[in-house]
Amino acid sequence: LFFTSLGLAQSQANYDESKVPKFTLPDVLTSFSGNPITNQTEWEENRRREILQFFEKQVYGKVPDRLDEYGFKLLEESNDAYGGKARRKQIAITLKKNKKTITYYMLIYLPKGNPTAPVFLGYNFYGNHTVTADPNVAITKAWVKNNEAFGITDNKASESSRGIRTHRWAIEKMLDNGFGLATIYYGEIDPDKNDFSDGVHSLFYRDGQTKPKTNEWGSISAWAFGLSKAMNYLESDVNISKVFVFGHSRLGKAALWAGATDKRFAGVISNNSGCGGAALSRRQFGETVAQINTSFPHWFADSFLKYDNNERTLPVDQHQLLALIAPRPLYIASAEEDKWADPKGEFLSTYYASSVYGLYGRKGITSKEMPKTNAPIQNTVAYHIRTGIHDVMDYDWENYIKWANTFVK
Ligand code: GTR
């Protein structure tokens, strides 16, 4: 009786490997019309393009147009964050379209040692002030999901939630290893609710329009767009070198789509991203397409609804989303207790995407055998499954940092 509808769905989902339907995956290196793809040019010019277009129009949804204006402003800066270890910057980014604007805020920490540092860029779930105990980080004024444990009521964040998510962001580890962090509260791009009157979508409406068209962007695509526009600032900052886009869960889905659509991201890290992220839809293990479209009707384009309980008719599967990131470094991670996200489906995707990395002479995941728990495989495509729940832990960051280190030169 006290189950939320999502909780109920989670309790009723299939977690039995023997009940995974038999399926044939669409081959990443065979075009929709049946032609084999044998080299980088055919991949880039034909196959990659058609896969990207499919995901754009039929899964996440197209961004309808270009912005009219883009701007950013340094709001605050310090040379003395984390006990003098880091520089801090807080940047306002403003997007303008049809005389309407939206502003979102990026918090950046950079290690003081290097004049130019690689950074991880990732959204947070409850506001920039939740990722650190630093009292100088501004509290978001945007709509935030209520959370009793964090003292968030009336959808407003306050001091009570400062630092409540520090465990998900190993900031000192990043700094000590020469990496920076850039983070943004995702609700400032598009509040995570089934309401298209607000957020970045609303800037693009024509007179009388109240929601995106059938094959236009849902929230995941909007969040990816926000990351991409954050990249405009990051590439202009002389203190920043490469940017690895990171995300957990729904934001891990957004990070994958951002990496697929914007080649300026040097690498992608997607933590426990599950259905609509790294997990193969055809496995129907844990969360399914029908389920995600029911619980979160605003995440995908409306055109994706036709694949509810109909995965086998999808001309693509999620391994092809991963392949769009090739040849750039890609790290997918699962958690043992996170069955809802289908760890095996997340792993198999990395394996089936790897043939595209092979076209570039890069090493992906070479065996279909899932690695043991807490035994990462780290090639240009990397994967680990760790003990524990759906979350981001120090273990994850230790591995992301170690792996990213080999690609920062
Ligand atoms: C769940 C959802 C997942 C995942 C997760 C999260 O409720 O079913 O797809 O996105 O939320 O973002 O934490």
Side-chain angles (χ1 to χ4, degrees):
L1 200 63
F2 285 86
F3 269 134
T4 60
S5 58
L6 181 64
L8 185 65
Q10 286 175 331
S11 72
Q12 291 175 343
N14 176 47
Y15 301 109
D16 181 348
E17 196 58 41
S18 73
K19 293 200 179 117
V20 169
K22 288 225 174 327
F23 59 84
T24 313
L25 277 184
D27 179 22
V28 70
L29 291 181
T30 305
S31 75
F32 290 144
S33 55
N35 297 317
I37 306 302
T38 57
N39 59 51
Q40 288 174 28
T41 312
E42 287 170 4
W43 165 254
E44 298 269 344
E45 288 176 9
N46 304 322
R47 185 62 173 146
R48 186 180 188 280
R49 189 183 297 245
E50 69 178 8
I51 294 173
L52 185 66
Q53 278 178 4
F54 186 88
F55 277 103
E56 207 168 45
K57 291 192 185 145
Q58 307 296 331
V59 183
Y60 302 106
K62 273 166 69 81
V63 179
D65 201 353
R66 287 168 178 275
L67 290 170
D68 293 336
E69 258 177 70
Y70 174 87
F72 57 79
K73 194 173 157 194
L74 176 66
L75 297 179
E76 189 265 352
E77 189 174 22
S78 158
N79 239 319
D80 204 22
Y82 282 89
K85 231 187 249 189
R87 300 175 56 183
R88 180 185 62 239
K89 301 186 192 189
Q90 298 187 70
I91 312 278
I93 298 174
T94 298
L95 312 181
K96 188 167 180 190
K97 182 75 185 171
N98 297 324
K99 303 197 169 72
K100 289 179 274 189
T101 63
I102 193 170
T103 297
Y104 58 107
Y105 301 88
M106 180 155 55
L107 166 67
I108 304 173
Y109 288 114
L110 295 172
K112 265 187 7 200
N114 339 9
T116 64
V119 306
F120 298 107
L121 166 66
Y123 279 126
N124 60 72
F125 281 81
Y126 284 98
N128 295 345
H129 67 291
T130 64
V131 310
T132 173
D134 183 343
N136 299 297
V137 175
I139 297 174
T140 183
K141 294 187 182 72
W143 179 94
V144 181
K145 202 176 148 192
N146 285 338
N147 186 316
E148 230 178 291
F150 300 164
I152 303 172
T153 52
D154 299 325
N155 304 113
K156 276 254 159 287
S158 67
E159 276 299 331
S160 68
S161 51
R162 187 178 296 285
I164 46 93
R165 277 291 168 82
T166 51
H167 83 275
R168 281 195 175 180
W169 302 89
I171 297 175
E172 298 219 42
K173 283 199 171 79
M174 296 177 197
L175 295 169
D176 292 344
N177 285 281
F179 285 86
L181 172 70
T183 187
I184 298 162
Y185 168 51
Y186 82 132
E188 290 173 356
I189 301 296
D190 186 31
D192 194 357
K193 48 185 172 167
N194 188 18
D195 171 359
F196 280 104
S197 66
D198 54 15
V200 68
H201 299 99
S202 65
L203 270 59
F204 290 76
Y205 295 156
R206 311 201 170 242
D207 286 345
Q209 193 182 350
T210 56
K211 63 185 198 92
K213 295 183 189 148
T214 309
N215 63 10
E216 286 179 352
W217 51 352
S219 292
I220 293 173
S221 178
W223 297 323
F225 180 79
L227 290 168
S228 185
K229 296 304 151 198
M231 188 64 200
N232 291 11
Y233 166 78
L234 295 168
E235 70 177 357
S236 78
D237 188 323
V238 296
N239 301 124
I240 292 172
S241 58
K242 292 189 170 165
V243 178
F244 291 80
V245 65
F246 159 83
H248 168 64
S249 203
R250 67 197 67 186
L251 301 176
K253 308 180 211 288
L256 288 170
W257 185 232
T261 49
D262 190 337
K263 290 183 175 178
R264 293 176 300 172
F265 291 116
V268 181
I269 302 167
S270 189
N271 191 85
N272 306 180
S273 61
C275 180
L280 293 174
S281 302
R282 277 173 175 72
R283 278 175 47 80
Q284 298 173 263
F285 185 103
E287 187 169 35
T288 63
V289 171
Q291 189 52 58
I292 205 166
N293 279 329
T294 305
S295 314
F296 306 102
H298 56 296
W299 282 4
F300 297 85
D302 282 350
S303 41
F304 193 46
L305 291 169
K306 60 180 166 295
Y307 299 103
D308 286 5
N309 301 310
N310 200 16
E311 290 85 350
R312 62 181 58 236
T313 66
L314 262 169
V316 297
D317 210 320
Q318 297 303 109
H319 62 303
Q320 288 161 322
L321 171 67
L322 306 194
L324 294 174
I325 294 159
R328 291 165 291 152
L330 169 67
Y331 203 134
I332 302 296
S334 310
E336 217 172 30
E337 291 170 50
D338 187 20
K339 300 266 190 272
W340 179 242
D342 185 14
K344 188 169 179 191
E346 293 175 324
F347 169 72
L348 286 174
S349 253
T350 64
Y351 171 76
Y352 288 111
S354 290
S355 54
V356 178
Y357 282 81
L359 288 182
Y360 293 85
R362 304 284 158 87
K363 194 166 175 190
I365 301 293
T366 53
S367 162
K368 250 179 105 166
E369 194 69 39
M370 223 175 139
K372 297 224 158 49
T373 301
N374 301 329
I377 307 175
Q378 298 191 346
N379 298 319
T380 301
V381 184
Y383 175 84
H384 73 235
I385 176 166
R386 59 154 169 76
T387 37
I389 60 166
H390 185 73
D391 201 352
V392 193
M393 297 183 173
D394 276 4
Y395 180 89
D396 298 311
W397 279 114
E398 282 157 16
N399 280 290
Y400 299 151
I401 290 167
K402 181 175 162 221
W403 169 83
N405 236 322
T406 60
F407 299 104
V408 294
K409 279 115 228 160

